[in-house]
Amino acid sequence: MADPSSYRPKPGQIPDSPGVYKFRDEHRRVIYVGKAKNLRQRLANYFQDLAGLHPRTRTMVTTAASVEWTVVSTEVEALQLEYSWIKEYDPRFNVKYRDDKSYPYLAVTLDEEFPRVQVMRGAKKKGVRYFGPYGHAWAIRETVDLMLRVFPVRTCSAGVFKNAARTGRPCLLGYIGKCSAPCVGRVTPEEHRELAEDFCDFMAGRTGTYIRRLEKDMMLAAEDMEYERAARLRDDAEALKRAMEKSAVVLADATDADLIAVAEDELEAAVQIFHVRGGRVRGQRGWVTDKVEAVDTAGLVEHALQQLYGEETGDSVPKEVLVPALPEDPEAVSQWLAGRRGSQVSLRIPQRGDKKDLMVTVQRNAQQALGLHKTKRASDLTTRSRALEEIAEALGLDTAPLRIECYDISHLQGDDVVASMVVFEDGLARKSEYRRFQIKGFEGQDDVRSMHEVIGRRFKRYLQEKERTGEWEEPQESGPAPTGPVPAPEPAGDAGPGGSEPREDQPDQSDQPDQSREDEPREDDGRPKRFAYPPQLVVVDGGQPQVAAAKRALDELGIDDIAVCGLAKRLEEVWLPDDDDPVVLPRSSEGLYLLQRVRDEAHRFAITYQRAKRAKRIRSSPLDAVAGLGETRKQALIKHFGSVKKLRQATIDEICQVPGIGRRTAESVAAALASTAPAAPAVNTATGEIIEDDDGGTS
């Protein structure tokens, strides 16, 4: 525990201008970010008598080891910089809202030649128009199904679209009139885009125009005795009305607004947001957070506004934002919102009428969300605490293992051997700390040797960080511990990209040369450093041999304060180093359940990485051998010729006709393809038919 007076700035050092400040701990991690109109006055509040501070503030200033600040010219700049730093450094003492679910959106991909309507989750993409979020994906699909009668926009995937274009036959929706079938040329790209834009206009609240137009066309068709067309237009108008009825009118003046309500107690807070467009509730979402800093309702509202609109621009920021309490500096927040939207934004507390009544409903939802969360969490906390205590008792640990790391080896008959490291803190997965490894010390299948290599590499990195910060002292007694500086780790393949869990479809880049050494712990940037924090317990997937290998790796590095165990799959028995008999936990033990979850997560993460590497190897192309030929020009070549087989048959002059391909590159392409003979065709043994794919190989 640090004494705040040891790092308190001297009088006169702190400016009295607006700015943003950061508290760092002894490892230089940023643990708190704040902003102030007057830095001198705000920071002075942190260095008063500890007895007068809020308990959470007291914990923060005694955890910190230094403070620094950045001066800005306006409060709006301070607000923007504070948001950017909180997003970048993820400080442990700042309020961070977390979605209680991944909300689905109705999305229209206007960035494509033929826009597609679909359900999307996760981070928003540029060029895509979003509506929502919605509580359930089925609600989106019901609405879309009704609207496709009037706006028959494409909803199929890229694969289905390309297959229909290749065969000249549209999918079922094209036959029943719920898709305009641009894949087979029934409408031009311009006509299809106009349909998509009309769909977006209707979803944005401009509904009256389309319904009046349909009703007018229906009357004209009836007068011309085109009764079948009139009936179809009548049904279209009814479908749009039913789609509108799914979101009832809550504000009669067709207001575009977001309503934010907060429910809180001493420890936690819940936020609910209703998105109202055209007077109708178009979406709803909720967040919960731990109150890890001393913050009131106004502060919670400000944090919610930052998270809600920090990445939004244009119409995604509404004209009006209704809140239960105004932030400390409402004018600066309003200016910041106006900058995100591009026009004036009203930030206020509703006082009367429909808006106040709707705010009561939003507040009720927030209270219910907080109550439900606390009920779930109370049970979850009790279970996790019991599990950690049972593990500590079974393994003879002095304290509960608050940080557990688990390692698993994965391969396919000795090929593409990889390993995974997953981290559980306080019984919960911490995916930002997951890491993945390639086995580089040898080739072939040897799980025990692989485990020894991975544990050694991981904890070399840990010791390297301790040596850099001066925390590591070499052991005095003789033994297998190293006597010189800790060797630097291998540069490539230790960490997942960006320090987060890779997506299932993310291409593996860990076998590329690491020129920037971005996986090294960096000086004074405040970000969590890779491999810098030790676990209390290392779990390996396997039995006695794997446990012995892991313990041997730690002993060779002189590390004796980290417990090691293994969980064998066959009988779910726990193995300890140097013990001939396993520890058998009861089948109903919460500790065993937690160890199984950790082991299964490590297995999932390892096999995902191994499959990605194998898939990349299988998908390799002869064009990969052409030096200087990037992905864009590869795709241009394949698109121009249709397949590698036809490209192999092309002359150098024909290859030069592809945009961006010069003669020297064309010669390299031709030489690379000539040196790689196509695979022999496959034969259907039942019919004798030769089966060839587009590259002349087996299908």
Side-chain angles (χ1 to χ4, degrees), residues 118-143:
Q118 60 181 313
V119 177
M120 294 185 73
R121 300 177 186 263
K124 293 186 176 180
K125 301 177 181 178
K126 188 177 180 180
V128 179
R129 185 80 179 273
Y130 291 88
F131 302 95
Y134 291 81
H136 302 281
W138 56 261
I140 303 178
R141 295 188 179 97
E142 285 186 355
T143 300

Side-chain angles (χ1 to χ4, degrees), residues 490-564:
E490 294 85 355
D494 283 352
S500 60
E501 180 178 2
R503 300 188 308 271
E504 295 286 341
D505 58 344
Q506 182 176 3
D508 171 46
Q509 299 175 349
S510 58
D511 57 347
Q512 300 300 320
D514 184 3
Q515 302 296 335
S516 63
R517 297 299 296 269
E518 291 182 352
D519 58 344
E520 292 288 350
R522 284 171 283 178
E523 296 278 356
D524 302 334
D525 63 357
R527 298 178 180 85
K529 299 176 179 62
R530 305 184 180 204
F531 304 107
Y533 313 115
Q536 285 80 46
L537 176 63
V538 167
V539 181
V540 298
D541 182 12
Q544 206 170 17
Q546 287 83 357
V547 174
K551 185 66 168 66
R552 188 170 68 255
L554 293 176
D555 290 342
E556 290 170 359
L557 295 171
I559 298 174
D560 57 4
D561 57 350
I562 297 177
V564 180

